[in-house]
Amino acid sequence: NFVLVVKAAEAGDKLKLATTVAFPRKASRLATPLPSYAEYTKGRTPGAAGKPIVLQGEDMVTPTGGMRAVNTKVGAKSAITGWDAMGSRLETHVDIPADGWYCLGIKYCTAQLALRAVEIDGAVPCAEADRISLSATLPHPNSDGFANNADDWSFVLLGSKADRKGMLLRFTKGRHKLGVVNRANACNVDYFVLVPEGQEDGAKREA
């Protein structure tokens, strides 16, 4: 900020000018970068107790973002559509039965590559969880990617790669807020499922 102050003297006196320059305060501390996935999972104790926890998409809709539940999509009893806007989110509270590591699965469909971030209690746990890719689902000649004309749904464990079944997320026992944020492009969602480590192979289900 730059402030110019003009001080008028009595008649016959010279005009006096005074300036005050104010600089913005420096941030008290820099934002801490997110740890890498390797750093986040380093030294972990493998495993988690309990059964997979299914989270229906319609139970995760927030008041803003233009999303809505519909029952007109091929291959799903009900689904969330309109998850188009960057920054819009699906979120819910989930009760975790025991400390441990979990994967997050999603049944979704989209016409193009979509990006999503996962938040636990309002924070992204690691850098890789900030931009997770969801591939386009166009399995049929008449697919539009959004299950309007055909069953375009796909199930994946978020962050799955050739060397891992899914991205592991750390939860402590008790209630937590789980959020999934749109980083780019639209996709429809049937459900999510939180899968204890070691049960990834049986994660897929119809809901």
Side-chain angles (χ1 to χ4, degrees):
N1 297 321
F2 181 86
V3 180
L4 175 65
V5 180
V6 179
K7 295 182 179 180
E10 295 181 3
D13 288 347
K14 294 182 179 180
L15 184 66
K16 297 179 180 180
L17 298 177
T19 60
T20 301
V21 179
F23 295 96
R25 292 182 179 180
K26 293 182 179 180
S28 58
R29 58 184 178 182
L30 297 175
T32 303
L34 293 172
S36 68
Y37 182 70
E39 292 169 333
Y40 173 62
T41 57
K42 184 178 180 180
R44 68 183 182 85
T45 300
K51 298 179 180 179
I53 302 170
V54 177
L55 307 168
Q56 294 292 345
E58 57 266 30
D59 297 329
M60 300 177 68
V61 175
T62 53
T64 59
M67 294 169 284
R68 64 190 185 280
V70 298
N71 60 5
T72 57
K73 298 298 180 181
V74 179
K77 296 176 183 177
S78 63
I80 295 303
T81 188
W83 195 12
D84 304 353
M86 286 185 62
S88 57
R89 69 182 58 231
L90 294 172
E91 63 183 26
T92 191
H93 285 90
V94 58
D95 292 312
I96 301 298
D99 294 358
W101 295 85
Y102 298 77
C103 292
L104 184 62
I106 179 176
K107 182 181 175 183
Y108 78 100
C109 60
T110 181
Q112 57 190 327
L113 178 72
L115 299 175
R116 295 296 183 267
V118 175
E119 292 181 348
I120 300 172
D121 296 326
V124 178
C126 64
E128 286 85 340
D130 196 46
R131 293 177 68 84
I132 301 172
S133 298
L134 294 172
S135 300
T137 59
L138 297 163
H140 306 290
N142 61 338
S143 291
D144 66 353
F146 295 105
N148 291 311
N149 307 312
D151 187 342
D152 298 333
W153 299 97
S154 179
F155 180 87
V156 297
L157 293 173
L158 294 180
S160 58
K161 294 183 177 181
D163 60 345
R164 70 183 186 214
K165 295 179 179 179
M167 179 180 293
L168 292 169
L169 303 168
R170 170 69 175 168
F171 286 89
T172 55
K173 181 180 179 180
R175 172 158 285 204
H176 295 272
K177 184 169 74 173
L178 175 66
V180 186
V181 185
N182 185 344
R183 289 288 189 248
N185 297 329
C187 79
N188 294 340
V189 176
D190 185 349
Y191 63 82
F192 293 92
V193 57
L194 203 57
V195 184
E197 184 183 10
Q199 301 182 39
E200 295 91 344
D201 291 338
K204 184 177 180 180
R205 68 181 294 274
E206 292 300 321

